[in-house]
Amino acid sequence: LHSGGSTSRISSQDRLRVISGHLHQRAQDGHAAVSAQECKAEASRANPAKAAPVPKRRHDIMKWNGWGYSDSRFLFNKKGQAEFTGKRYRLSGLILPSLKDWFEGTFGANLQHKSPATPALNVSAVPPPNLNESFVEELKAAGVALSQEPEDRVFRSHGHCLHEIFALREGRISRVPDLVVWPSCHNDVVKIVELACKHNVCLIPYGGGTSVSSALECPPEETRSIVSLDTSQMNRILWIDEKNLTAHVEAGIIGQDLERQLNESGYCTGHEPDSMEFSSLGGWVATRASGMKKNIYGNIEDLVVHIKMVTPRGVIEKSCQGPRMSTGPDIHHFIMGSEGTLGVVTEVTMKIRPVPEYQKYGSIVFPNFQQGVACLREVAKQRCAPASIRLMDNEQFQFGHALKPQVSSIFTSFLDGLKKFYITKFKGFDPHHLCVATLLFEGDREKVLQHEKQVYDIAAKFGGLAAGEDNGQRGYMLTFVIAYLRDLGMDYYVIGESFETSVPWDRVLDLCRNVKERIVRECKERGVQFPPLSTCRVTQTYDAGACVYFYFAFNYRGLSDPIHVYENVEHAAREEILANGGSLSHHHGVGKLRKEWMKEAVSTVGLGMLKSVKEYVDPSNIFGNRNLL
Amino acid sequence: RVYPALRPMTTGIGSSTPNPVLKKRDDFEDVLEERRNSSDLRYALRCYTPALYKGLVPCKASMLKSIVLQSDSLQYVVGQSREAVQEEAALLLEEMAHRLQLGTIRFFAFTLSKAFKALFRGVCVNEEGIQRLQQAIQEHPVVLLPSHRSYMDFLMMSYILYTYDLALPVIAAGMDFISMKFVGEMLRMSGAFFIRRSFGGDKLYWAVFSEYVKTMLRNGYAPIEFFLEGTRSRTGKSLTPKTGLLNIVMEPFFKGEVFDVNLVPVSISYERILEESLYARELLGVPKPKESTSGLLKARRILSEDYGSMHVYFGHPVSIRSLAQGHISRSQHNLLPRHIPQKPTADTQAFVNDTAFRLVRLQEENMVLKPWVLLATLLLQNPDGMDLSTLTEQADWLRRLALAFGAFLDWPDHEPCSKVISSSLALHKNLVCVSGGRVRLVVEELPGAESATEEAGFNRAVSVLSCASYRNQILHLFVRPALIAVAMQTANCSRKDEVFNCFNFLRNVFSNEFILCPGAAVQDFEEACYLLGKCGAVQELQQDLVMSQSGQTTLAFLCSVLDPFLQGYQVVCRYLCEELEENLLENKFVPAVRSFTLQLILSGSLKCYEALSSDLQKNALAALIRLKAVRRVKAGDQVTLKVNKIAVNSLEDTLGKTNVQHINIYLYSSLLNNK
């Protein structure tokens, strides 16, 4: 268990442990391969002991039809209590006594009514590969690792949209890649892309596989051989430049490995999207990712200094690493957000920072959501946002509460009772309206404490009460376990999804209210028997607006086509977001899920510009995932 | 008083189905019944705990003002650091704002109980409508849209809402009440807020006013009530809706500030209107008496009269969100801060206008019609009076026709027809009398004067227009079929497209006169064809629309329903062609056309007294202006009318071709007797 509270020094590494746990083998392996070497493909392939952090056979350690590691999952034990299995997480091995009541109460679900997933992949249901033999031959000759095993192909045929996971659980397999290839360096990628052009096969880059925009779905209309280009073996930090505070990294590295390896040298990127356990650097670049600590470190577009991408036209990169340039439109912005439609990002130079000396969580209770938003707005106005500041609405606060592990001592539970009494009775907060902001401060100890005071002073003006570090930390935990929780819900007829937007400050409240209500109304109109969970939080603050994140989930018993209902509701919710001045996406991207709104979002001319870039860079549509455009 | 379920209800707005008859209406309950059996005082002092809007932002009336004054949108109009303007805004708001107090409501609950019991036999309310409203109030901000026929209307609304423990509304009222010193303040304290009748381009006034209304709506402060028709209808017909306030209450939805707004049409119908002859005189040019407290007290004698019963029907809440689906793109407001006033786009304007018409039609549909309305219709078509037996017979026939058209008719089924008629006639003894078995209009006799004087003509006109205000209540039911009936006369052939062209032309001419939704000509035509087919008056063939064997009676009746309007419009046209000197001032138009008409009547060449109605004359002028036969030319403060005589003349000719006056309007009765 994570001990000593979060006030301890150098707790960034601790936090990482909280999030990601110890990855197998890695601990024994010791140091990461921080080295300034050229493509060492041969060497690494020759040395199997130096196993990659992400194995090629991902399904050996990860679920093939759900989120995350195979050993980590929520379940209701024989006593009907929820527990989280495995050893990786802070919650692992713990009992969550209130989850069952919350789950049954919120969704009208019942532990007697199970909807279990197909236990194992039925290999015979996987369509045989449609291979381009000469392409495969030349690839083999070039020494690129590849596989046409059904498990490997199915694993790379999807992201983590609800409909994708739901289909897998039911054992339904649609179009999957015909071949998986694992380049181990930039030059491998150059070779693969050349061969793909030569033989006209379709390439779909695959990083962490955490997409929630249907971006990894194989277009069913694609008749060519589809090759999934798995970047996971390009995972080295090639060099660290301490003078300029930059690191040059292969784009297949996943978030937790990047941070851990940099930490070992005393650095970090500070880029921590909620998916950082599994998502890759290349994926971040390709989707314009955002990390929760962007207030200090910036979003991906602020973090990259140099990008190298392999396209059918050749390699695109800038000639120097100047911190800012006036050289026409920034070509990085053609790459960032291109969602795998133009090429494969192979190497990125990123800014790095020394690991912060001190880190502290915090939380604030507000009497209602309006006051909370007003406070966040003021914090943004004064430009004093902590590394992270998030505001959960009442439903989400209660959700978070249901994840409280069993308290070990009577004293703690007594204290909890006392806190609750103080807030609801003494301060007069209505437990059905109050909401919580979670905070994370980082930096010098002195400055953090000063900063903390400043933020709490502002909060007080909006009726906010400091509510302790523990609540704050649990709030952040929720974002890492939510996807595991979705798998639990799906075992009991509950399906759910999350989506996000960004919106100007003056519309935050209206948008949150209207979208939540729209979800409730749409569910009702479509025959959902029990009111859905429809909840949101403000997860990022900017000068001119905020990022809002929604969860919605419902009990689908009695519905003949739950996925259709769910897709309609999500569609309606997105329409509502757009009608209320929200953006099509803040950081999830467009993929194929939100393509239909692209023209409206960026204007016909805007879309035309993007299309003409695609037309120039990839005229044969080698990168044929059909995202975005 | 319990209604039989007359017809199943089509939910939603407007009748997209060509079958408007299939409607079900709720039953009524008399709210006065309990008042007659229990203490009014206890009722006035009882515990009042209405269910409130779930998103209510609690706020006092005084707080409301400061929220409005400090709002971004008002600050935007006031501009930076202009204290004088800010003060002016505060004054405007002071003049406007309501001061709703429960105490005043309780006072009214007590006194109005007394008054209503004296005036009415019953006040019937559909309880299901009340239940729906209660639901709606909790869900989303609610806008109450009652029809407007009497000063009673808004007092009655608040009274009923108080009775049913519903949230009390704030009501947009005309400034005219303010001059009634004490009463104005009383109304203010019972929830009325006052708006100037016209404020032209006064941006500050508009900003204060619209922000005030929108703030109350957004915060769910109270249901907002206003009259779509803008003013009381003096004619018993619904007035062309005004869209200003509707625009304002829809804006928070368009801008995403509320999830939805429920519009609730309310139909208030009176068996006898308190202002009956007052209205007739007003239409004939006797100016409306200025509202004054003493005037109100003088009106006390009305308390001793019998005004029959009244009906208040709360319609189904109409969700703006559902209406706007597919018509309004809310994202059009994404690129401008929402507090900056924006002229509504053409799309929005058309949508609001369309909605306004639909809502007025919903009001019309749920207006309860009394047997007297049928009698008035028949009596007006027989200016020389009718035998009671004929009247009874024809009333029974008309009743069946009206029901076939889907009338919301309150006809006591269990009583014999003759009894229903005699009690109706008795209630309206100031308008009709029965002597020697003949029923005729009561006309105030002038001692020793000839019947051909202006004053005698005027007196007869008062009776006719009073009577017409009841007949007009049923026009919404007949107007579309009647337009077809006239069109079938006018068209030279029975080809459907020819008939439709005539129908469309007439519909266009009369679109200021009746509630005819813009752009719904085809739908109206189909709906009316359906009704006429259903009652066996016409047959729809592949290409043709022909009168059926038994259709003569119905079609003749329908033609004569429109006859006064056809004649009236022709008179206006004739005046403009024949009499008009160059450059008539617009404000001289009504008196001039009135005296022209009166001369025609006195000379015996015109029998249609309804042509004297200033309402008809103004509508005719508006139609002519719309049809570009007359042009308004502004010169300084004055507006003159430029007449295109050729156009007006040809219009008169076309209307003349309808030849309605040559149809034997008694034909249908003889046919009826032959059956």
Side-chain angles (χ1 to χ4, degrees):
Chain A
L1 201 87
H2 182 69
S3 62
S6 43
T7 47
S8 58
R9 278 167 187 257
I10 325 275
S11 57
S12 170
Q13 278 170 320
D14 287 350
R15 195 174 107 60
L16 268 162
R17 214 167 300 132
V18 168
I19 298 160
S20 56
H22 309 276
L23 246 139
H24 68 117
Q25 294 182 348
R26 203 64 194 174
Q28 290 94 324
D29 276 1
H31 296 289
V34 179
S35 53
Q37 53 199 338
E38 280 309 297
C39 182
K40 283 267 183 95
E42 306 308 320
S44 68
R45 230 174 269 138
N47 181 7
K50 197 153 186 126
V54 177
K56 286 178 189 158
R57 288 169 57 89
R58 295 195 195 201
H59 47 278
D60 285 348
I61 58 160
M62 292 170 75
K63 298 194 190 80
W64 70 278
N65 63 353
W67 179 262
Y69 300 108
S70 305
D71 56 16
S72 301
R73 58 189 291 255
F74 284 97
L75 53 81
F76 287 113
N77 61 24
K78 290 201 176 77
K79 286 189 210 157
Q81 286 174 314
E83 59 177 90
F84 193 50
T85 64
K87 296 196 185 76
R88 295 173 186 274
Y89 297 87
R90 195 182 167 209
L91 271 184
S92 297
L94 294 186
I95 300 284
L96 311 165
S98 5
L99 189 59
K100 173 173 175 277
D101 285 348
W102 176 86
F103 182 71
E104 292 187 330
T106 304
F107 297 109
N110 188 322
L111 297 197
Q112 309 307 316
H113 297 143
K114 288 204 72 175
S115 49
T118 314
L121 174 63
N122 175 10
V123 176
S124 64
V126 182
N130 161 29
L131 294 175
N132 183 317
E133 297 297 346
S134 38
F135 172 75
V136 176
E137 286 313 312
E138 287 202 48
L139 216 51
K140 278 183 182 157
V144 177
L146 49 82
S147 161
Q148 39 176 301
E149 294 300 316
E151 288 90 350
D152 287 325
R153 289 159 53 217
V154 168
F155 198 97
R156 285 152 190 85
S157 68
H158 65 87
H160 281 272
C161 287
L162 175 70
H163 66 271
E164 295 172 316
I165 299 301
F166 195 88
L168 290 175
R169 286 174 60 95
E170 292 200 323
R172 279 186 285 118
I173 312 287
S174 40
R175 181 82 157 96
V176 303
D178 300 299
L179 186 72
V180 181
V181 299
W182 286 273
S184 56
C185 64
H186 171 80
N187 289 340
D188 277 359
V189 176
V190 172
K191 190 77 201 164
I192 294 168
V193 173
E194 267 173 22
L195 289 176
C197 292
K198 181 175 169 196
H199 298 287
N200 192 26
V201 302
C202 170
L203 287 180
I204 298 186
Y206 183 91
T210 58
S211 153
V212 283
S213 59
S214 302
L216 292 169
E217 252 174 40
C218 297
E221 66 271 33
E222 180 60 67
T223 53
R224 295 173 295 183
S225 179
I226 298 181
V227 175
S228 178
L229 192 154
D230 185 327
T231 58
S232 62
Q233 308 308 305
M234 304 197 298
N235 53 26
R236 294 163 302 169
I237 296 175
L238 297 176
W239 45 255
I240 291 175
D241 177 347
E242 304 196 40
K243 293 198 183 65
N244 295 306
L245 285 179
T246 53
H248 191 66
V249 189
E250 288 185 313
I253 194 165
I254 60 167
Q256 58 173 330
D257 294 342
L258 174 62
E259 283 310 89
R260 187 175 43 250
Q261 291 177 35
L262 285 175
N263 284 177
E264 282 158 9
S265 317
Y267 293 104
C268 66
T269 63
H271 185 68
E272 295 185 11
D274 289 356
S275 59
M276 71 172 290
E277 283 179 276
F278 305 108
S279 57
S280 68
L281 170 55
W284 300 337
V285 171
T287 55
R288 295 182 63 87
S290 170
M292 76 173 217
K293 297 196 292 194
K294 72 92 191 156
N295 292 334
I296 293 181
Y297 301 97
N299 287 318
I300 195 71
E301 67 272 22
D302 311 308
L303 283 164
V304 294
V305 176
H306 184 270
I307 305 174
K308 200 192 269 186
M309 179 166 80
V310 182
T311 78
R313 281 271 173 196
V315 175
I316 175 175
E317 64 180 323
K318 292 185 187 173
S319 65
C320 69
Q321 309 204 69
R324 184 186 185 273
M325 304 174 196
S326 175
T327 47
D330 191 338
I331 56 160
H332 282 174
H333 287 283
F334 289 123
I335 299 169
M336 284 187 288
S338 59
E339 303 193 357
T341 58
L342 299 178
V344 189
V345 177
T346 53
E347 288 172 19
V348 178
T349 308
M350 270 183 108
K351 299 182 195 168
I352 55 171
R353 301 288 306 163
V355 170
E357 165 194 340
Y358 188 70
Q359 202 179 37
K360 191 174 181 186
Y361 287 97
S363 67
I364 306 168
V365 186
F366 292 98
N368 55 46
F369 193 62
Q370 289 86 325
Q371 294 283 79
V373 171
C375 173
L376 261 63
R377 203 283 160 267
E378 183 61 28
V379 167
K381 194 189 256 174
Q382 296 192 20
R383 289 195 168 167
C384 64
S388 169
I389 178 166
R390 289 177 170 179
L391 180 75
M392 299 189 276
D393 69 359
N394 182 265
E395 291 87 349
Q396 209 159 117
F397 161 71
Q398 299 195 13
F399 185 7
H401 228 68
L403 292 174
K404 229 173 173 172
Q406 203 159 30
V407 284
S408 40
S409 74
I410 297 174
F411 182 67
T412 326
S413 105
F414 171 74
L415 271 184
D416 280 351
L418 211 63
K419 270 189 249 165
K420 192 176 170 193
F421 177 82
Y422 176 73
I423 285 175
T424 59
K425 296 292 181 310
F426 189 75
K427 281 289 176 181
F429 284 17
D430 180 344
H432 296 290
H433 284 125
L434 63 79
C435 71
V436 176
T438 59
L439 311 168
L440 174 62
F441 297 91
E442 249 184 41
D444 296 60
R445 188 163 193 283
E446 199 86 330
K447 277 187 187 148
V448 162
L449 296 179
Q450 212 179 331
H451 193 176
E452 191 186 20
K453 184 176 179 315
Q454 188 187 6
V455 172
Y456 285 126
D457 284 351
I458 294 173
K461 288 191 195 126
F462 297 90
L465 294 172
E469 295 172 35
D470 212 41
N471 275 322
Q473 202 166 6
R474 200 166 39 247
Y476 288 102
M477 184 183 68
L478 178 63
T479 63
F480 289 99
V481 297
I482 184 78
Y484 284 108
L485 274 167
R486 184 171 77 176
D487 289 342
L488 177 72
M490 283 200 275
D491 286 339
Y492 296 93
Y493 286 97
V494 172
I495 50 177
E497 185 64 288
S498 60
F499 49 89
E500 42 70 29
T501 187
S502 56
V503 61
W505 277 114
D506 70 313
R507 290 171 177 270
V508 170
L509 280 177
D510 289 330
L511 181 131
C512 290
R513 181 197 52 239
N514 290 352
V515 172
K516 283 181 353 179
E517 182 139 6
R518 179 76 181 262
I519 290 169
V520 172
R521 190 190 256 210
E522 293 284 337
C523 281
K524 194 175 168 188
E525 281 172 9
R526 295 171 197 285
V528 175
Q529 307 287 317
F530 207 81
L533 172 71
S534 174
T535 158
C536 72
R537 63 168 183 260
V538 179
T539 61
Q540 287 293 7
T541 63
Y542 292 89
D543 288 348
C547 168
V548 182
Y549 208 94
F550 293 91
Y551 289 144
F552 98 90
F554 61 85
N555 181 341
Y556 68 85
R557 273 173 66 83
L559 296 179
S560 59
D561 190 351
I563 292 304
H564 184 66
V565 169
Y566 141 79
E567 280 173 344
N568 283 333
V569 176
E570 193 192 355
H571 190 274
R574 182 58 61 181
E575 292 275 352
E576 191 64 33
I577 286 173
L578 298 175
N580 283 275
S583 64
L584 190 52
S585 172
H586 170 264
H587 60 272
H588 282 175
V590 174
K592 291 180 269 293
L593 192 61
R594 287 174 276 272
K595 236 166 106 161
E596 64 179 287
W597 292 287
M598 261 306 270
K599 198 200 262 187
E600 186 189 327
V602 302
S603 82
T604 313
V605 177
L607 194 62
M609 286 169 86
L610 297 180
K611 279 186 172 152
S612 67
V613 170
K614 165 80 179 173
E615 187 58 32
Y616 171 76
V617 174
D618 183 16
S620 313
N621 196 27
I622 296 301
F623 288 89
N625 60 19
R626 303 191 193 217
N627 291 336
L628 201 62
L629 302 174
Chain B
R1 201 168 291 252
V2 176
Y3 266 86
L6 287 173
R7 45 191 205 185
M9 185 72 182
T10 50
T11 48
I13 196 165
S15 15
S16 53
T17 57
N19 188 353
V21 180
L22 288 175
K23 290 197 187 86
K24 185 184 165 295
R25 270 106 173 204
D26 307 333
D27 296 340
F28 282 101
E29 191 205 40
D30 181 3
V31 294
L32 288 189
E33 206 168 283
E34 204 192 318
R35 296 277 43 74
R36 296 195 205 275
N37 299 324
S38 65
S39 154
D40 286 338
L41 192 62
R42 197 176 307 142
Y43 161 75
L45 295 177
R46 84 195 157 82
C47 173
Y48 167 75
T49 49
L52 300 170
Y53 170 50
K54 67 176 180 201
L56 178 74
V57 182
C59 152
K60 294 223 167 64
S62 51
M63 258 271 277
L64 200 59
K65 288 187 208 166
S66 60
I67 294 177
V68 173
L69 288 175
Q70 277 147 35
S71 68
D72 291 341
S73 56
L74 197 58
Q75 289 304 316
Y76 178 82
V77 175
V78 166
Q80 294 282 303
S81 66
R82 290 172 61 194
E83 279 176 31
V85 186
Q86 181 72 28
E87 248 166 62
E88 197 189 330
L91 286 175
L92 288 176
L93 193 57
E94 205 56 42
E95 173 194 277
M96 186 181 308
H98 73 84
R99 282 199 302 277
L100 181 59
Q101 285 176 351
L102 193 53
T104 318
I105 295 294
R106 291 190 190 282
F107 167 80
F108 271 117
F110 180 76
T111 51
L112 288 178
S113 289
K114 301 287 183 206
F116 289 158
K117 280 189 283 186
L119 288 168
F120 302 115
R121 295 183 195 171
V123 173
C124 304
V125 178
N126 65 326
E127 282 217 326
E128 282 167 68
I130 293 285
Q131 279 159 19
R132 288 190 296 257
L133 177 59
Q134 190 180 19
Q135 278 293 320
I137 285 176
Q138 294 172 60
E139 283 293 306
H140 302 294
V142 160
V143 177
L144 292 166
L145 300 166
S147 60
H148 203 11
R149 301 289 174 271
S150 167
Y151 277 139
M152 275 293 142
D153 292 330
F154 77 79
L155 292 175
M156 185 51 88
M157 284 291 290
S158 297
Y159 182 83
I160 290 171
L161 295 181
Y162 172 80
T163 303
Y164 285 102
D165 218 23
L166 291 175
L168 291 165
V170 289
I171 309 127
M175 266 318 236
D176 8 359
F177 285 104
I178 283 283
S179 51
M180 303 164 77
K181 280 212 166 67
F182 174 66
V183 174
E185 286 314 298
M186 283 295 281
L187 294 179
R188 202 191 276 281
M189 288 191 285
S190 60
F193 62 95
F194 297 98
I195 43 178
R196 297 178 182 171
R197 283 247 174 249
S198 57
F199 40 87
D202 188 341
K203 278 191 185 148
L204 184 65
Y205 191 85
W206 176 260
V208 172
F209 164 56
S210 66
E211 191 54 31
Y212 183 61
V213 175
K214 284 187 281 188
T215 304
M216 291 192 289
L217 188 95
R218 284 191 290 250
N219 293 2
Y221 180 84
I224 290 165
E225 177 180 317
F226 65 89
F227 299 105
L228 271 174
E229 297 164 283
T231 182
R232 292 169 300 156
S233 161
R234 270 71 165 168
T235 60
K237 273 184 296 148
S238 294
L239 303 176
T240 304
K242 306 268 184 293
T243 53
L245 254 164
L246 194 60
N247 240 318
I248 291 175
V249 298
M250 284 187 170
E251 205 187 282
F253 168 73
F254 294 153
K255 291 190 171 174
E257 293 162 340
V258 294
F259 182 78
D260 199 354
V261 176
N262 276 319
L263 305 173
V264 181
V266 183
S267 313
I268 307 178
S269 28
Y270 295 84
E271 185 164 15
R272 231 189 111 193
I273 295 166
L274 278 79
E275 294 98 328
E276 177 183 87
S277 64
L278 216 60
Y279 285 161
R281 283 168 206 284
E282 222 179 281
L283 290 173
L284 291 166
V286 181
K288 140 175 147 175
K290 202 164 159 54
E291 279 81 3
S292 71
T293 309
S294 63
L296 192 83
L297 291 175
K298 268 182 222 149
R300 238 174 9 151
R301 70 177 170 80
I302 64 170
L303 285 179
S304 58
E305 290 210 28
D306 180 0
Y307 287 90
S309 55
M310 60 177 292
H311 289 81
V312 183
Y313 193 98
F314 289 84
H316 279 269
V318 174
S319 141
I320 294 187
R321 177 176 275 266
S322 318
L323 280 187
Q325 180 80 40
H327 296 281
I328 297 289
S329 157
R330 282 176 288 157
S331 53
Q332 65 183 292
H333 298 284
N334 286 356
L335 296 179
L336 199 62
R338 289 178 295 174
H339 66 268
I340 297 178
Q342 254 177 304
K343 247 205 164 86
T345 58
D347 276 3
T348 309
Q349 201 57 261
F351 170 75
V352 175
N353 195 43
D354 199 44
T355 306
F357 271 86
R358 283 154 169 249
L359 287 161
V360 172
R361 280 205 66 190
L362 286 177
Q363 287 176 356
E364 286 184 334
E365 277 175 16
N366 292 323
M367 292 282 232
V368 169
L369 301 169
K370 286 297 200 171
W372 166 243
V373 170
L374 304 183
L375 303 183
T377 307
L378 293 165
L379 286 167
L380 283 171
Q381 294 184 4
N382 297 271
D384 303 321
M386 297 172 84
D387 286 334
L388 185 56
S389 57
T390 319
L391 178 65
T392 311
E393 215 169 333
Q394 292 191 11
D396 193 44
W397 173 82
L398 184 52
R399 178 184 143 229
R400 275 181 277 124
L401 182 69
L403 287 177
F405 282 10
F408 196 7
L409 189 60
D410 180 25
W411 187 292
D413 283 321
H414 47 279
E415 282 179 46
C417 192
S418 58
K419 199 166 164 225
V420 175
I421 288 173
S422 62
S423 68
S424 281
L425 294 174
L427 185 72
H428 294 277
K429 56 184 186 295
N430 59 324
L431 291 180
V432 282
C433 61
V434 189
S435 61
R438 244 185 124 62
V439 188
R440 64 179 82 234
L441 290 189
V442 174
V443 178
E444 208 179 314
E445 297 287 337
L446 294 166
E450 282 209 32
S451 62
T453 63
E454 285 197 8
E455 210 174 348
F458 180 79
N459 279 343
R460 181 156 182 86
V462 170
S463 296
V464 169
L465 290 185
S466 298
C467 221
S469 74
Y470 293 98
R471 189 255 349 252
N472 286 349
Q473 291 177 17
I474 205 170
L475 282 182
H476 70 89
L477 199 66
F478 290 138
V479 65
R480 289 162 197 83
L483 287 171
I484 289 199
V486 176
M488 286 172 74
Q489 297 275 350
T490 319
N492 292 322
C493 64
S494 59
R495 281 177 56 92
K496 215 190 260 177
D497 48 356
E498 277 294 312
V499 176
F500 176 77
N501 285 341
C502 285
F503 169 88
N504 200 19
F505 167 77
L506 289 165
R507 189 181 176 281
N508 198 6
V509 170
F510 285 124
S511 62
N512 294 76
E513 196 68 47
F514 307 109
I515 302 301
L516 299 163
C517 302
V522 174
Q523 192 187 319
D524 280 355
F525 184 75
E526 280 169 3
E527 183 182 314
C529 279
Y530 171 83
L531 289 176
L532 287 171
K534 181 170 169 277
C535 71
V538 300
Q539 270 183 298
E540 271 189 87
L541 305 173
Q542 203 91 57
Q543 299 283 330
D544 296 78
L545 193 65
V546 296
M547 181 167 73
S548 43
Q549 206 68 48
S550 56
Q552 183 93 35
T553 318
T554 308
L555 293 183
F557 165 77
L558 289 173
C559 285
S560 40
V561 163
L562 274 193
D563 183 47
F565 300 96
L566 287 164
Q567 288 199 48
Y569 277 49
Q570 283 179 71
V571 170
V572 171
C573 290
R574 255 175 81 186
Y575 165 75
L576 290 174
C577 289
E578 291 173 17
E579 291 293 308
L580 182 64
E581 69 274 27
E582 282 298 299
N583 300 344
L584 175 69
L585 289 176
E586 193 184 35
N587 54 11
K588 294 279 188 303
F589 166 78
V590 169
V593 82
R594 181 188 300 128
S595 67
F596 174 78
T597 312
L598 195 56
Q599 290 317 312
L600 287 180
I601 288 177
L602 293 178
S603 71
S605 58
L606 181 69
K607 297 247 182 296
C608 178
Y609 281 80
E610 288 187 52
L612 283 167
S613 159
S614 60
D615 181 67
L616 182 145
Q617 292 154 359
K618 284 178 198 161
N619 289 338
L621 179 64
L624 289 168
I625 290 170
R626 185 165 40 79
L627 297 171
K628 302 203 166 64
V630 175
R631 211 154 41 92
R632 295 170 83 242
V633 179
K634 278 188 192 164
D637 287 349
Q638 294 189 316
V639 180
T640 52
L641 300 174
K642 299 266 187 208
V643 180
N644 175 347
K645 292 203 177 182
I646 299 167
V648 173
N649 211 350
S650 97
L651 185 71
E652 192 203 342
D653 270 3
T654 319
L655 289 179
K657 266 192 221 144
T658 56
N659 275 340
V660 177
Q661 51 270 58
H662 301 140
I663 301 166
N664 180 352
I665 60 168
Y666 302 109
L667 191 60
Y668 63 92
S669 57
S670 60
L671 279 170
L672 186 73
N673 292 340
N674 292 343
K675 257 191 231 162

